[in-house]
Amino acid sequence: MASFIDIPVDSHFPLENIPFGIISSAEDASLRPATIVGDHVVDLKVVAEAGLFAGPLLKAVAVSVFSQTTLNAFMRLGRPSWREARATLQNLLATNIASKLRDDAAVRAKAIIHKSKVTNHMPAQIGDYTDFYSSKEHAFNVGVMFRGKDNALQPNWVHLPVGYHGRASSVVVSGTPIRRPNGLIQDFATKAINYSSCKKLDYELETAFFVGTGNNLGEPINIADADEHIFGMVVMNDWSARDIQAFEYVPLGPFLGKNFGTTISPWIVTMDALEPFRVPQPAQDPVPASYLSAGPKDAYNLQLQATLKPAGQEKDFLLSKTNLKYMYWSMKQQLAHHAVNGCNMNAGDLLGSGTISGPTTDSLGSLLEASINGKQELDLAGDGSVKRTFIQDGDSLTISGVCEGIVDGKTIRIGFGECEGTVLPAPKL
């Protein structure tokens, strides 16, 4: 696909992508839906008001849904409408197809804005946020640290996608600073318990998906239908206070060690854009229960990386390179499990993958693993000038992801942009 908008070769956002997000701009401070192509944002409110969503599913509702301050109304329309919107935008932005967006200078000038002139906002109103624990490599590594190799995985882990309910209110969009938390921390050598700022602040390299259409209370989502309920994906950093978490998590799991901040990338990439990059997920043994029955290709070849920029420096240092395809439990399985008891999912609900670690030391998705809980200092620069066990004040963490491959004889890159946050000092005790 070729667009009349110039798209850099290394862009995350070719015409094959068409993600969805929420923006404001200097000329118009109101929040409204948009997509991004190359380095330019397309204002979907302007496109709708120009009557350019002319398909049978969107024609009557486009002005309404694309005038909202979140994507929730658009999400509720369902996958056929999402597909119609994406296809319409691809045609409107194509080089070789006549359209008012391409040929009307006034509409084009109003609708197409350089990304440097817009501000990204939360793409959806998140009603509920759930985080899973679905990387076998990550779960094993952490289990070895705290329970030993023989008891690394809890007995239930290979039977179901383990998860917990997080805090929706503290999920923030990329670029939002994250303040180091305070909490109760135990010195496990002396058993003393102190109220202190977190000393083991960590990142978790994750992806997450947004629910599009939900289900009624008491009615499960069949895994065969799960694809129709998933609107799209973002990359995510589920910030973690390891020392606060270590003292509090028994018996009910994470609480203050997790709920102080979660960062997501601003553009939601649709599952249709990611379809060419589906691959088989890791073999599951034992075979899951029937409601979790896996399909032939339920994983995604999504290359992920995390980098750290120390305070006062301009250079980013690589922390991890991993891949979503390593995940033991798929997004479809996570959604089917979440709803198997009749739990009602809603448009805008966010479900996190859990930390994504791979099989090698350079593919570990957290500093907890890479530093062995602070016992092993990481020499990020290779010359001793930048060392870390955990994150320091002023450090900036960035997570990004790209799918890349040959599609119909052409190399395609589908990316997510960046998920970035800078750590601020803890509040004064």
Side-chain angles (χ1 to χ4, degrees):
M1 296 180 184
S3 174
F4 63 82
I5 295 176
D6 182 54
I7 301 174
V9 174
D10 61 350
S11 174
H12 282 204
F13 305 112
L15 201 53
E16 290 84 356
N17 194 338
I18 310 294
F20 295 92
I22 296 293
I23 63 157
S24 63
S25 61
E27 293 77 13
D28 183 355
S30 66
L31 275 61
R32 68 269 192 198
T35 188
I36 182 170
V37 178
D39 292 333
H40 289 81
V41 169
V42 181
D43 187 330
L44 301 188
K45 182 180 179 183
V46 173
V47 174
E49 290 175 344
L52 303 185
F53 286 107
L57 299 177
L58 291 175
K59 186 175 182 178
V61 298
V63 171
S64 173
V65 298
F66 292 129
S67 296
Q68 305 295 316
T69 58
T70 69
L71 293 171
N72 295 60
F74 178 49
M75 291 173 167
R76 293 187 191 99
L77 296 180
R79 196 174 191 184
S81 295
W82 312 334
R83 284 176 163 164
E84 183 177 289
R86 180 168 172 264
T88 297
L89 289 165
Q90 286 173 331
N91 288 334
L92 290 172
L93 293 162
T95 298
N96 61 345
I97 299 176
S99 72
K100 193 173 183 180
L101 186 60
R102 187 194 72 173
D103 301 331
D104 188 318
V107 173
R108 190 169 65 248
K110 190 175 181 182
I112 300 174
I113 314 165
H114 193 271
K115 67 179 184 180
S116 63
K117 297 181 179 180
V118 305
T119 299
N120 292 105
H121 300 273
M122 283 294 292
Q125 178 66 46
I126 301 172
D128 286 293
Y129 161 50
T130 300
D131 198 27
F132 285 92
Y133 190 53
S134 291
S135 163
K136 192 172 187 178
E137 288 83 0
H138 174 69
F140 181 80
N141 293 339
V142 174
V144 168
M145 262 186 266
F146 295 106
R147 291 186 299 275
K149 188 174 182 180
D150 292 339
N151 298 299
L153 293 180
Q154 298 284 12
N156 64 347
W157 199 93
V158 294
H159 293 277
L160 53 83
V162 173
Y164 72 96
H165 290 286
R167 181 72 181 176
S169 65
S170 54
V171 180
V172 296
V173 73
S174 178
T176 306
I178 296 293
R179 189 167 293 280
R180 182 181 298 273
N182 295 323
L184 289 180
I185 298 171
Q186 183 175 41
D187 183 323
F188 286 96
T190 66
K191 304 302 181 183
I193 300 167
N194 298 299
Y195 175 48
S196 170
S197 62
C198 168
K199 304 298 190 297
K200 293 184 176 181
L201 183 60
D202 201 358
Y203 78 102
E204 289 190 341
L205 195 165
E206 301 195 27
T207 63
F209 67 88
F210 278 93
V211 174
T213 54
N215 58 304
N216 295 323
L217 181 64
E219 299 177 4
I221 293 175
N222 191 303
I223 194 166
D225 302 323
D227 281 330
E228 302 302 309
H229 292 266
I230 299 175
F231 178 71
M233 290 177 59
V234 294
V235 290
M236 185 172 87
N237 181 358
D238 192 31
W239 303 86
S240 299
R242 300 300 186 186
D243 41 7
I244 294 173
Q245 182 181 353
F247 181 58
E248 73 176 1
Y249 83 100
V250 177
L252 293 181
F255 188 41
L256 302 182
K258 292 283 192 177
N259 68 9
F260 61 94
T262 301
T263 305
I264 63 171
S265 52
W267 298 105
I268 305 177
V269 177
T270 67
M271 305 315 296
D272 285 323
L274 298 172
E275 185 68 21
F277 305 98
R278 291 181 78 141
V279 294
Q281 69 191 91
Q284 295 184 314
D285 182 20
V287 175
S290 58
Y291 78 91
L292 293 171
S293 178
K297 289 186 177 182
D298 285 344
Y300 292 83
N301 184 13
L302 170 55
Q303 303 165 51
L304 297 157
Q305 75 169 29
T307 60
L308 181 149
K309 182 188 292 183
Q313 296 195 29
E314 292 303 316
K315 184 177 180 180
D316 288 279
F317 295 93
L318 182 67
L319 293 176
S320 175
K321 280 192 172 183
T322 187
N323 198 302
L324 182 60
K325 69 182 181 181
Y326 298 135
M327 294 293 291
Y328 187 88
W329 295 105
S330 72
M331 290 180 283
K332 289 172 59 176
Q333 289 174 319
Q334 290 168 344
L335 181 59
H337 181 64
H338 203 314
V340 71
N341 64 344
C343 173
N344 52 319
M345 313 299 295
N346 295 306
D349 285 351
L350 184 70
L351 280 69
S353 62
T355 306
I356 302 168
S357 292
T360 57
T361 55
D362 60 354
S363 62
L364 303 176
S366 68
L367 288 173
L368 175 68
E369 296 166 88
S371 73
I372 314 177
N373 197 21
K375 295 177 182 178
Q376 176 176 287
E377 198 169 41
L378 306 181
D379 183 2
L380 299 181
D383 61 4
S385 62
V386 180
K387 294 182 178 182
R388 291 291 186 276
T389 51
F390 289 99
I391 300 167
Q392 297 181 7
D393 290 349
D395 285 349
S396 175
L397 267 290
T398 300
I399 295 174
S400 59
V402 175
C403 293
E404 186 168 5
I406 305 297
V407 180
D408 297 329
K410 177 185 176 183
T411 299
I412 301 296
R413 286 168 55 88
I414 302 293
F416 290 74
E418 293 186 341
C419 169
E420 184 275 335
T422 298
V423 176
L424 302 178
K428 187 175 293 187
L429 295 171

